[in-house]
Amino acid sequence: MLIDIQEARNAVRVDGEDNDIIIVPLLESIPSYLEVTTGRTWEDDTEIHPLAQTVTKFILQLWFDPQGQDSERLKRTIDNLLTALTALGRNM
């Protein structure tokens, strides 16, 4: 995974394991999503790029609460980060 479960819980602002049944499948889906959208895998590196970890947290926030008050702002942020990550992937 690009981030661990505790980082994921912190990103979606929940305590404890009650929401892990929702968080874990979302977290497991993000590497495939990033690979499809950027054309590169970000999980197999010896050190995961910080930008990939950051966009993972934003995607998780959006997917966990898609109707939240910040969802439109999150979508724009994610789009910009994915563009940057795609460009970064081409140069690596």
Side-chain angles (χ1 to χ4, degrees):
M1 286 192 254
L2 295 164
I3 61 174
D4 64 36
I5 188 64
Q6 189 56 50
E7 289 174 297
R9 288 182 195 130
N10 291 342
V12 296
R13 298 177 182 102
V14 297
D15 293 325
E17 301 173 2
D18 294 344
N19 291 292
D20 285 2
I21 194 165
I22 298 167
I23 295 171
V24 170
L26 294 174
L27 198 55
E28 290 172 344
S29 299
I30 292 174
S32 297
Y33 177 75
L34 289 181
E35 184 173 356
V36 168
T37 56
T38 67
R40 183 178 188 280
T41 181
W42 297 93
E43 197 172 32
D44 294 335
D45 295 334
T46 55
E47 186 175 325
I48 298 170
H49 195 281
L51 186 57
Q53 292 176 317
T54 299
V55 76
T56 295
K57 292 173 187 177
F58 283 123
I59 291 168
L60 185 60
Q61 287 175 13
L62 180 64
W63 289 358
F64 185 78
D65 185 17
Q67 303 301 321
Q69 66 185 36
D70 293 331
S71 63
E72 287 305 315
R73 188 172 53 105
L74 276 173
K75 289 176 188 176
R76 286 191 304 274
T77 301
I78 290 166
D79 287 344
N80 290 329
L81 289 172
L82 288 173
T83 299
L85 203 57
T86 300
L88 180 66
R90 289 184 187 141
N91 293 328
M92 292 180 87

